[in-house]
Amino acid sequence: MIQEAVLWQALSPRAELPEAALPARADVAIVGGGYTGLAAARALASCGAAVVVLERETVGWGASGRNAGMVLPGFKAELSDVVRRSGLDVARRLFQESLAAIQFVESVIRDEGIACDWRRSGHVTLAAKPSHLPPLQEARQLLARDFGYQTDLLGPGEIGREIGSPRYHGGLLDAAAGSLQPAAYVAGLARAALRAGATLCEGTEVRGIQPAAAGLRMDTSRGPLEASELLIATNGYTDRLLPWLARRVVAIGSYIIATEPLPAGLQQRLVPGGRMLSDTKHLLYYFRLSPDGRLLFGGRAGFVPTALERSRELLRRGMVEVFPELAATRIAYAWGGRLGFTRDLLPHAGRHGPVCYALGYGGHGVGMASWLGDRVGRAIAGQGPWPPLAKIPFPAIPLYLGRPWFLPMAGAYYGIRDRLS
């Protein structure tokens, strides 16, 4: 059996945080030590609040330290679907929030001096079949006409500028997208929250939440904590601690492999522009070059939890299908993580009774989680409005109580659609 090894953690060994005692009381308690929780903690502490982050594992242990490092505009939901459901004005506001999220990440990296290989790399959505190119053209037209946002459609004769593979039939280039080293970024965000005055408590599991005289009481693995406000920032690691949220967020596994370092000439042939790349399948592939010259290749090995060894082999086959030149290349790293999906494929933030929340990024979380965390933190502190996503209804998933019994059927359904589309 192979052992999980996360490339980002090898490139950026986790900085040891000062051990923090769990206080008896705080103004705000945050459950989850990823991008959302740390950005919210930084914002709240800078507003003068006494804030404690409760992380069951270590800061950045989940998707914030495991993702592919793609910082993308938009959401998992197609903008055309958002327009249809909520109207053009709402869709415009939400899309602008996604662009502000990228700018926010860029400004935090600059202001906090975070060394995480940030750059505006651009992203290409690759047409997996000829029939997938017209919808990309429609998306480009919608963005230009209704959102004033420019992208470039690449036809079959142009896509070779971005990828050295005959597998794809065109693509949509968005030059505003960025890339970074996610583990280095989350570590820098943690240090920024500490400098602002937040308390970070690792190895602290929240086991129960109860009303208290002046807010809520958290029963944790390290003892009780009372707080006036509580923010849940657990995304794909949301459990059944709060049934209302458990009915609204589904965790779906995603997996990544990374090759040994590739020769410079091979890197240039495979990904000539150094872009972030993903394709149009439902069970999609996504890939990029790492800062040290490896190919990272990720995807949904399935909708249900999958053994790492099987995921590694499925992704290796996919990688060789896309890049036959890599058939003999050694896989040096393989790991997995969880994404948080919602019924409408949008992230959500807001308040339900005494509990605040921000989660459900659907694989678009690097920018949006950072931005929503900051916005929600400032809203809780009374130093800013709640973000527009707080006004979007947060639908429950029918017949779902926290155990995703439907995922095998969903995976089979989308696999058939990928074959037939």
Side-chain angles (χ1 to χ4, degrees):
M1 179 179 294
I2 66 170
Q3 297 296 311
E4 180 177 76
V6 182
L7 170 64
W8 305 127
Q9 296 170 7
L11 295 179
S12 179
R14 195 180 77 87
E16 294 297 324
L17 301 177
E19 187 172 346
L22 182 72
R25 179 158 185 84
D27 295 328
V28 184
I30 299 173
V31 181
Y35 300 141
T36 306
L38 295 172
R42 173 179 175 265
L44 281 156
S46 70
C47 293
V51 55
V52 179
V53 176
L54 307 172
E55 167 56 49
R56 180 171 54 194
E57 303 290 344
T58 56
V59 163
W61 180 88
S64 294
R66 295 168 178 265
N67 66 83
M70 300 183 181
V71 191
L72 308 178
F75 308 96
K76 180 63 177 176
E78 297 289 343
L79 272 181
S80 56
D81 291 335
V82 180
V83 171
R84 176 178 52 81
R85 289 194 304 255
S86 302
L88 182 56
D89 288 345
V90 170
R92 283 173 173 159
R93 286 196 293 274
L94 297 186
F95 185 70
Q96 286 302 314
E97 288 282 294
S98 80
L99 299 181
I102 299 176
Q103 184 61 46
F104 175 76
V105 168
E106 193 168 59
S107 66
V108 168
I109 290 169
R110 180 189 64 242
D111 295 346
E112 300 289 355
I114 302 174
C116 60
D117 296 297
W118 163 255
R119 68 187 185 93
R120 292 276 188 159
S121 58
H123 172 264
V124 181
T125 304
L126 300 161
K129 294 184 177 182
S131 61
H132 294 186
L133 194 55
L136 292 180
Q137 166 73 337
E138 293 170 7
R140 188 195 70 81
Q141 293 171 342
L142 175 71
L143 284 165
R145 182 186 67 242
D146 294 334
F147 295 83
Y149 187 77
Q150 299 303 314
T151 54
D152 295 314
L153 188 74
L154 307 175
E158 302 164 303
I159 196 60
R161 300 201 305 258
E162 302 296 345
I163 182 170
S165 169
R167 174 69 180 77
Y168 295 105
H169 306 274
L172 188 66
L173 168 61
D174 189 332
S179 61
L180 49 68
Q181 206 280 49
Y185 172 58
V186 75
L189 202 54
R191 288 189 287 268
L194 285 172
R195 284 194 296 271
T199 298
L200 307 184
C201 292
E202 298 181 308
T204 307
E205 179 181 10
V206 179
R207 296 171 172 171
I209 300 171
Q210 304 169 6
L216 293 168
R217 170 191 163 111
M218 274 61 68
D219 296 320
T220 84
S221 57
R222 296 176 59 191
L225 167 68
E226 289 193 7
S228 301
E229 297 275 10
L230 172 63
L231 171 63
I232 302 296
T234 45
N235 196 39
Y237 296 82
T238 302
D239 56 22
R240 292 190 285 177
L241 181 66
L242 292 170
W244 188 85
L245 278 178
R247 295 178 58 218
R248 287 164 168 79
V249 182
V250 178
I252 294 180
S254 194
Y255 301 85
I256 302 178
I257 57 176
T259 67
E260 61 191 357
L262 305 177
L266 181 56
Q267 294 178 45
Q268 179 63 25
R269 287 201 305 277
L270 299 184
V271 189
R275 309 286 192 187
M276 305 292 100
L277 301 156
S278 61
D279 67 27
T280 51
K281 300 193 307 296
H282 294 286
L283 300 178
L284 82 166
Y285 295 141
Y286 53 90
F287 40 98
R288 60 170 290 190
L289 294 172
S290 69
D292 65 338
R294 305 167 191 269
L295 185 80
L296 265 73
F297 195 92
R300 316 276 190 270
F303 274 32
V304 296
T306 306
L308 184 62
E309 190 162 4
R310 173 171 166 73
S311 300
R312 177 186 183 277
E313 181 56 28
L314 288 171
L315 289 176
R316 191 196 68 79
R317 291 178 196 169
M319 181 186 74
V320 173
E321 175 191 351
V322 175
F323 297 115
E325 285 185 80
L326 298 181
T329 301
R330 186 175 70 89
I331 302 302
Y333 293 88
W335 68 96
R338 298 183 200 167
L339 308 177
F341 279 76
T342 64
R343 183 178 174 185
D344 60 8
L345 302 182
L346 286 172
H348 287 271
R351 182 189 293 276
H352 179 72
V355 177
C356 304
Y357 58 88
L359 69 186
Y361 305 107
H364 284 243
V366 182
M368 187 52 63
S370 304
W371 175 240
L372 266 191
D374 182 83
R375 293 291 302 274
V376 169
R378 295 184 189 281
I380 292 172
Q383 299 297 311
W386 283 85
L389 281 162
K391 299 178 182 178
I392 303 296
F394 193 178
I397 299 166
L399 305 178
Y400 173 56
L401 299 175
R403 292 191 182 279
W405 54 269
F406 47 82
L407 286 185
M409 290 179 287
Y413 169 73
Y414 285 118
I416 292 170
R417 287 190 62 180
D418 283 339
R419 289 192 293 273
L420 298 180
S421 62

